Amino acid sequence: MGCNTHTRTFKNAVYDHLATVGKALSSSTRLEILEVLAQAPRTVDSIAAEVDQSVANTSQHLQKLKKARLVTGRRDGLYVIYSLSGEDVVELLDKLNRVADEHIKELEELATEFFGERDGLEAVDHHTLLERIKDGTAVLIDVRPEEEYDAGHLPGALSIPVDELEAHIESLPTDRTIVAYCRGPYCAWSAEAVNQLRARGYDARRADVSAPFWKAGDQT
Amino acid sequence: MGCNTHTRTFKNAVYDHLATVGKALSSSTRLEILEVLAQAPRTVDSIAAEVDQSVANTSQHLQKLKKARLVTGRRDGLYVIYSLSGEDVVELLDKLNRVADEHIKELEELATEFFGERDGLEAVDHHTLLERIKDGTAVLIDVRPEEEYDAGHLPGALSIPVDELEAHIESLPTDRTIVAYCRGPYCAWSAEAVNQLRARGYDARRADVSAPFWKAGDQT
DNA sequence: TATTTATTCAACCAATCACTTGACTACTTG
DNA sequence: CAAGTAGTCAAGTGATTGGTTGAATAAATA
């Protein structure tokens, strides 16, 4: 209380600005755009295709994200290339994911329903993953599109996009565990990769790791 | 590409759930409610008064926050007491604050405009703060209402709510720096406390620390 | 049981939202 | 300069939002 009368308008202005960021995170389409941008910078056209929306609509969403300062766009000739405006945005998205994951039980239900029994493709956590790669008992594969791998990947990972897995499957060692990861905890590609690998007799697992989030500090 | 057709509906469901959390953060009133709850659990009535909204409206906002699983309410006799549903929610709010603070330049402008020259009341960062308290060159005061102090405070802090500062000012040592903190980086109370203290000849500073966020890990 | 206090629910309104369509601007290449 | 491609802008539509008001519950107390 006390200084409320003085404070009001300043406080409101502050919360309005914070809400601008909140609003940016309030549309599923925008969250999808953000996750795409968390993998690698992209042009408007390509984002639109990725999230299955019209270019105009995508552009408008990008304007909103820009207003909230979560993304920046730079012109490169014919194209405008958007990217997240900082590491901390990845961290924010990561937190949002984790909070939702922790508290919204429907998400877990969805996941087990979609991935089958989640322990059917037992995920491997971050720390044991690193150890297993070091001591050579596991091979880590990044099943995202090549450009996303090129923009940054877990150390020691091989790039094998899902749709090329079939072709490269022979080159993988049969005497080690294959651990696959993709964009995030709900990205289906790693699950698909694991299924393909298992069908061929490999010992395969999903990594319990969000692709761009190795930058975002520790995985608890 | 590839598995989009299969993926679509699952992906949409996931992003819809994430957006539920985003939506919860998209209204300035709700963010204010969350910050209040980050200090201490509270009844609907008292939240409504604190954020200056009708009880009905506040209740509806709380329902939305509950649906997003950011808060929980438990009945205690006549009252329903709401609180944040976990530490991680505090961390999420903290990230939101930091991202906004980092990228939205208008926020800094607002702050300097309101707090006067920000370095006029030079904030003290987390680490030097801890050192100064340990070696006894500084006294830390928590200027939030007593209940919020009671619900949790920085170790070693004294509780002196702003509106009682005048009365207790004599009891503070004149030979040490007084460092004040309150709810968050935009909470005006600590600034006001500093002004009062300086007017009486004290060496006073604001702490660059968000009250409940000592739980939320390190201050970078 | 009737009354009081705290909270929620339901109905409503103006404002905002996500998305569409179609026109407009920016840049590159022929 | 004309033609083509990438992106933005403007106007419009139905759905959702934040807020209001007043009635309906829920629990404590008289």
Side-chain angles (χ1 to χ4, degrees):
Chain A
M1 309 161 190
C3 49
N4 267 357
T5 36
H6 280 148
T7 310
R8 269 288 137 216
T9 107
F10 165 70
K11 243 166 82 171
N12 286 349
V14 168
Y15 284 116
D16 280 353
H17 280 292
L18 293 181
T20 305
V21 179
K23 280 198 223 301
L25 306 173
S26 72
S27 135
S28 55
T29 307
R30 266 188 313 264
L31 287 174
E32 210 177 334
I33 293 176
L34 286 171
E35 185 171 14
V36 167
L37 289 178
Q39 314 300 320
R42 272 178 179 270
T43 68
V44 179
D45 245 14
S46 110
I47 298 167
E50 192 71 32
V51 305
D52 201 30
Q53 296 285 336
S54 71
V55 174
N57 190 27
T58 305
S59 173
Q60 269 148 192
H61 278 303
L62 285 166
Q63 300 307 312
K64 244 172 218 181
L65 291 171
K66 204 159 115 186
K67 231 180 78 183
R69 307 299 168 90
L70 296 184
V71 311
T72 55
R74 71 184 166 82
R75 184 123 221 165
D76 179 26
L78 251 191
Y79 302 86
V80 175
I81 292 160
Y82 279 92
S83 44
L84 296 192
S85 52
E87 285 307 274
D88 53 353
V89 177
V90 177
E91 290 170 30
L92 176 59
L93 290 171
D94 186 42
K95 260 305 170 247
L96 189 77
N97 262 279
R98 283 174 197 288
V99 169
D101 208 35
E102 174 70 27
H103 297 292
I104 304 187
K105 57 178 185 309
E106 290 89 340
L107 267 175
E108 205 176 352
E109 286 165 18
L110 263 175
T112 45
E113 194 180 314
F114 183 83
F115 291 134
E117 293 304 319
R118 222 180 192 177
D119 44 10
L121 340 96
E122 254 173 311
V124 176
D125 79 78
H126 193 235
H127 293 100
T128 58
L129 177 58
L130 287 177
E131 273 173 39
R132 291 244 214 135
I133 292 169
K134 256 186 201 152
D135 67 22
T137 61
V139 174
L140 183 63
I141 66 175
D142 182 326
V143 298
R144 297 175 300 158
E146 215 165 332
E147 319 90 64
E148 300 183 8
Y149 174 89
D150 290 340
H153 53 262
L154 283 173
L158 303 173
S159 172
I160 309 185
V162 195
D163 34 336
E164 292 170 30
L165 179 57
E166 202 82 53
H168 293 76
I169 211 163
E170 306 287 343
S171 65
L172 291 169
T174 49
D175 59 341
R176 302 199 214 163
T177 304
I178 314 292
V179 180
Y181 74 91
C182 53
R183 291 178 175 173
Y186 301 107
C187 172
W189 291 331
S190 61
E192 186 173 318
V194 166
N195 285 333
Q196 281 188 39
L197 285 163
R198 292 195 168 180
R200 300 292 198 92
Y202 285 88
D203 174 27
R205 298 271 185 94
R206 288 194 310 122
D208 190 15
V209 136
S210 306
F213 299 150
W214 59 79
K215 311 167 188 164
D218 218 0
Q219 314 283 333
T220 323
Chain B
M1 308 155 192
C3 50
N4 267 357
T5 36
H6 280 148
T7 310
R8 270 289 137 214
T9 109
F10 165 70
K11 241 167 83 170
N12 286 349
V14 169
Y15 283 116
D16 279 352
H17 280 293
L18 293 181
T20 306
V21 179
K23 280 197 224 300
L25 306 173
S26 71
S27 135
S28 55
T29 307
R30 268 190 309 268
L31 287 174
E32 210 177 335
I33 292 175
L34 286 170
E35 184 171 15
V36 167
L37 289 179
Q39 313 300 319
R42 273 177 179 271
T43 68
V44 179
D45 243 14
S46 109
I47 297 167
E50 191 72 26
V51 305
D52 201 31
Q53 295 284 336
S54 72
V55 173
N57 190 27
T58 305
S59 172
Q60 269 148 192
H61 279 303
L62 286 166
Q63 300 307 313
K64 244 172 218 181
L65 292 171
K66 202 158 116 188
K67 231 181 79 185
R69 308 298 168 90
L70 297 184
V71 309
T72 55
R74 68 183 167 83
R75 185 124 220 166
D76 180 26
L78 251 191
Y79 301 86
V80 176
I81 292 160
Y82 280 92
S83 44
L84 297 191
S85 52
E87 286 306 274
D88 53 353
V89 177
V90 177
E91 290 169 31
L92 176 59
L93 290 171
D94 186 42
K95 259 306 171 246
L96 189 76
N97 261 278
R98 283 174 198 286
V99 169
D101 207 34
E102 174 69 28
H103 297 292
I104 305 187
K105 57 178 184 309
E106 290 89 340
L107 267 175
E108 204 176 353
E109 286 166 17
L110 263 175
T112 45
E113 195 180 310
F114 183 83
F115 291 135
E117 293 303 321
R118 222 180 190 177
D119 43 12
L121 343 94
E122 254 172 311
V124 175
D125 80 78
H126 192 234
H127 293 100
T128 58
L129 177 58
L130 287 177
E131 274 174 40
R132 291 244 213 132
I133 292 168
K134 255 187 202 152
D135 67 23
T137 60
V139 174
L140 184 62
I141 66 175
D142 181 327
V143 298
R144 297 174 301 158
E146 216 166 333
E147 320 90 66
E148 300 184 7
Y149 173 90
D150 289 340
H153 52 262
L154 283 174
L158 303 173
S159 171
I160 310 186
V162 197
D163 32 339
E164 292 169 29
L165 179 58
E166 202 82 54
H168 293 77
I169 211 163
E170 305 288 343
S171 65
L172 290 169
T174 49
D175 58 342
R176 303 200 216 161
T177 304
I178 315 291
V179 180
Y181 74 89
C182 52
R183 290 178 175 172
Y186 301 108
C187 173
W189 292 332
S190 61
E192 186 175 317
V194 166
N195 285 333
Q196 281 186 40
L197 285 163
R198 292 195 168 179
R200 299 293 198 91
Y202 285 86
D203 174 26
R205 298 271 184 95
R206 288 194 311 122
D208 191 14
V209 137
S210 307
F213 299 149
W214 60 81
K215 311 167 190 165
D218 218 0
Q219 314 284 332
T220 322

